[in-house]
């Protein structure tokens, strides 16, 4: 069991993606979050209730590899990275709509869905099609609403987010030597031009992609995380100055990651570097944020942890994952709002991520009826 849990955790955070970075004027006057204190192994110490929401499986919607989850206007938006589609479900998991019929070579269709975003005013889906060099917006009836041209040089873009006044931010990270592969670029679709480009703040970095989403929106704030781990600084996009601002910084004390240690390390061996240095270095893998909480996933001394930082009272709580005393793992984290944290996984992992004591009778019924061949499952944890 212990080996399986470690395999699950390590498997969700490691996939290779290499690029170079340069240091620029990032504000380092950030609040220090000291990572210290007692840890707990039990989900019940952090959550008062757990709910299981299977995403409906039908002929109209068979999902393959679900990755990115958004919850907007009372709906789940899920990206299937393998099929290049976006599927929409009710909060009860009932299928509403999929872009499957829009994928193709015909008029008003898209060829590639690198990433999607949602128009928060009307719930429309915006697809980033890097093959056709477009952002295409569809309503939930499959009608084309509007489309914007983007430069062909944006091909290596990994993520994008809408800011305001027709300006989008694009994040570039690629092994290929494209011109803009080391930057966040701010692009105006109305003017058809790049407004600004800024480089990454770290000189040395771990060339291992671990986080789910670089851009995370909550309220009117857009958080920003780099795809590589061990960046202890927490950034935001300033939508007025079009820049990155560092507001929080993690402090692991003597276990802080020293980026200079990577100066002469072959990038292809960075996964080995993590394993070899896990006893004396904390490695940050992913983060999520809401108006109230910052959630950090990290490893230290061959163990995995989830840190909860309350932004109002600055309280730190730490969940230890995957010990021999408990199977209750908190991973595959996909979304956070004011009251809940959401995890999305395939049915065969659900048992690892729950404790039956916190399940409602309805969720227990859903758990019994679930099939391993069904679509992904959303697990909703209610914060204490």
């Amino acid at each position: 069991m212990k080996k399986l849990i470690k395999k699950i955790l390590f498997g969700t955070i490691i996939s290779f993606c290499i690029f170079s970075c340069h240091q620029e004027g990032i504000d380092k006057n950030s609040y220090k979050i000291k990572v210290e204190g007692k840890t707990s192994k039990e989900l019940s110490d952090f959550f008062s209730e757990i709910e299981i929401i299977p995403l409906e499986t039908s002929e109209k919607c068979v999902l393959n590899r679900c990755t990115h989850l958004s919850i907007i206007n009372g709906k789940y938006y899920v990206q299937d990275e393998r099929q290049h589609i976006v599927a929409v479900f009710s909060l009860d998991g009932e299928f509403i709509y999929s872009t499957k019929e829009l994928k193709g070579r015909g008029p008003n269709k898209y060829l590639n869905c690198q990433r999607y975003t949602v128009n928060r005013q009307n719930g429309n889906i915006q697809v980033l099609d890097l093959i056709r060099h477009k952002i295409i917006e569809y309503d939930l009836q499959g009608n084309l609403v509007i489309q914007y041209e983007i430069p062909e040089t944006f091909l290596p873009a990994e993520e994008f987010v809408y800011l305001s006044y027709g300006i989008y931010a694009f994040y570039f990270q690629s092994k290929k030597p494209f011109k803009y592969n080391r930057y966040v670029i701010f692009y105006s679709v109305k003017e058809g031009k790049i407004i600004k480009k800024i480089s990454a703040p770290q000189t040395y970095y771990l060339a291992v992609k671990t986080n789910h989403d670089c851009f995370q929106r909550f309220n009117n704030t857009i958080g920003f995380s780099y795809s590589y781990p061990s960046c202890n600084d927490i950034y935001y996009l300033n939508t007025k100055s079009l820049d990155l601002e560092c507001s929080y910084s993690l402090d692991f004390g003597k276990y802080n990651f020293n980026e200079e240690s990577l100066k002469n390390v072959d990038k292809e061996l960075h996964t080995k570097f993590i394993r070899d240095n896990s006893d004396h270095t904390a490695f940050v893998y992913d983060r999520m944020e809401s108006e109230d909480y910052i959630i950090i996933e990290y490893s230290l001394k061959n163990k995995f942890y989830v840190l909860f930082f309350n932004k109002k009272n600055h309280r730190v709580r730490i969940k230890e994952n995957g010990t021999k005393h408990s199977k209750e793992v908190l991973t595959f984290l996909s979304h956070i709002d004011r009251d809940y944290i959401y995890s999305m996984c395939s049915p065969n992992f659900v048992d690892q991520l729950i404790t039956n004591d916190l399940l409602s009778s309805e969720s227990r019924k859903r758990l019994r009826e679930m099939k391993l061949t069904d679509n992904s499952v959303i697990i909703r944890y209610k914060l204490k």
Side-chain angles (χ1 to χ4, degrees):
M1 179 68 71
K2 189 175 180 181
K3 289 183 178 179
L4 175 61
I5 290 171
K6 283 190 175 182
K7 184 177 180 181
I8 293 171
L9 288 165
F10 200 75
T12 61
I13 60 175
I14 297 300
S15 63
F16 291 98
C17 193
I18 299 173
F19 80 116
S20 299
C21 311
H22 297 287
Q23 185 75 24
E24 283 196 354
I26 301 298
D27 179 18
K28 292 293 183 179
N29 297 320
S30 55
Y31 179 83
K32 290 285 186 181
I33 302 174
K34 290 190 175 182
V35 184
E36 59 185 10
K38 293 182 178 180
T39 64
S40 174
K41 304 178 181 68
E42 309 303 327
L43 289 171
S44 58
D45 289 336
F46 302 89
F47 308 109
S48 59
E49 183 181 64
I50 299 176
E51 186 178 2
I52 295 174
I53 304 114
L55 299 179
E56 180 185 344
T57 306
S58 65
E59 292 183 359
K60 293 183 178 180
C61 184
V62 178
L63 301 178
N64 196 319
R65 186 172 184 268
C66 296
T67 51
H68 306 283
L69 171 68
S70 302
I71 305 172
I72 299 170
N73 299 334
K75 298 180 182 66
Y76 294 122
Y77 292 76
V78 177
Q79 180 175 356
D80 185 328
E81 220 169 43
R82 193 159 290 167
Q83 296 187 74
H84 286 273
I85 65 173
V86 180
V88 186
F89 299 85
S90 72
L91 293 183
D92 292 325
E94 295 178 353
F95 174 72
I96 296 174
Y97 173 74
S98 166
T99 63
K100 185 176 181 179
E101 299 302 319
L102 296 172
K103 186 174 180 295
R105 296 185 176 276
N108 300 335
K109 294 191 175 184
Y110 69 90
L111 285 173
N112 159 272
C113 178
Q114 171 67 23
R115 191 59 65 88
Y116 77 95
T117 189
V118 179
N119 185 322
R120 291 173 176 263
Q121 278 68 50
N122 51 33
N124 291 348
I125 298 170
Q126 295 186 347
V127 172
L128 176 60
D129 186 347
L130 292 175
I131 295 179
R132 287 187 166 173
H133 320 301
K134 291 180 179 181
I135 296 171
I136 310 173
E137 181 172 323
Y138 301 100
D139 64 23
L140 296 191
Q141 287 73 47
N143 300 309
L144 174 69
V145 177
I146 196 169
Q147 54 184 325
Y148 302 108
E149 299 283 343
I150 58 175
E152 293 185 14
T153 51
F154 280 25
L155 183 60
E158 289 202 351
E159 296 190 33
F160 78 126
V161 64
Y162 179 71
L163 305 183
S164 59
Y165 305 108
I167 297 175
Y168 288 81
F170 294 82
Y171 176 55
F172 295 81
Q173 174 174 296
S174 174
K175 294 180 181 180
K176 298 179 181 179
F178 284 84
K179 183 177 181 181
Y180 298 122
N181 69 334
R182 302 173 183 177
Y183 298 92
V184 175
I185 289 181
F186 300 93
Y187 182 79
S188 171
V189 294
K190 291 182 178 180
E191 300 179 55
K193 69 176 185 179
I194 294 172
I195 305 298
K196 190 176 183 180
K197 57 183 179 182
I198 55 177
S199 62
Q202 283 185 287
T203 303
Y204 305 107
Y205 54 89
L206 281 163
V208 181
K209 184 176 180 180
T210 57
N211 71 328
H212 289 91
D213 298 289
C214 291
F215 299 117
Q216 300 177 33
R217 184 189 292 274
F218 52 97
N219 287 345
N220 295 319
T221 303
I222 300 175
F224 178 79
S225 297
Y226 289 97
S227 286
Y228 48 86
S230 292
C231 181
N232 290 2
D233 297 326
I234 296 171
Y235 297 94
Y236 301 93
L237 284 180
N238 186 320
T239 57
K240 293 183 179 180
S241 64
L242 302 183
D243 214 335
L244 293 179
E245 295 181 351
C246 179
S247 296
Y248 295 93
S249 185
L250 298 168
D251 184 5
F252 292 93
K254 65 180 181 180
Y255 299 110
N256 276 330
F257 174 71
N258 177 14
E259 59 180 279
E260 285 289 328
S261 63
L262 289 172
K263 187 174 183 179
N264 298 313
V265 177
D266 186 337
K267 293 182 178 67
E268 297 297 330
L269 300 176
H270 278 190
T271 303
K272 183 178 183 299
F273 177 89
I274 293 175
R275 293 193 181 102
D276 292 346
N277 290 275
S278 62
D279 284 342
H280 50 80
T281 301
F283 294 100
V284 176
Y285 291 117
D286 201 358
R287 82 169 179 95
M288 299 189 306
E289 188 170 351
S290 67
E291 50 266 53
D292 296 328
Y293 285 95
I294 296 175
I295 310 295
I296 303 291
E297 295 182 72
Y298 70 96
S299 70
L300 178 63
K301 296 185 177 181
N302 292 308
K303 291 183 179 180
F304 292 88
Y305 300 89
V306 180
L307 178 145
F308 297 75
F309 174 72
N310 188 313
K311 293 193 286 187
K312 292 183 176 179
N313 60 25
H314 293 176
R315 182 187 178 191
V316 172
R317 295 189 296 161
I318 301 173
K319 165 78 172 72
E320 182 179 336
N321 268 337
T323 70
K324 62 182 179 181
H325 303 293
S326 173
K327 73 171 185 177
E328 299 171 11
V329 178
L330 187 62
T331 188
F332 302 115
L333 302 181
S334 303
H335 187 84
I336 181 174
D337 56 30
R338 185 176 290 275
D339 299 313
Y340 297 94
I341 292 178
Y342 300 81
S343 177
M344 185 169 60
C345 67
S346 58
N348 55 310
F349 284 127
V350 172
D351 282 341
Q352 302 291 328
L353 309 180
I354 63 171
T355 174
N356 287 329
D357 294 341
L358 298 182
L359 289 180
S360 65
S361 57
E362 178 63 27
S363 289
R364 293 181 187 184
K365 179 183 177 183
R366 290 172 176 172
L367 184 61
R368 291 193 299 268
E369 295 175 349
M370 198 182 305
K371 299 177 182 177
L372 295 180
T373 54
D374 286 346
N375 282 337
S376 289
V377 177
I378 292 174
I379 303 175
R380 190 167 75 163
Y381 303 88
K382 187 172 185 178
L383 289 160
K384 276 191 170 180

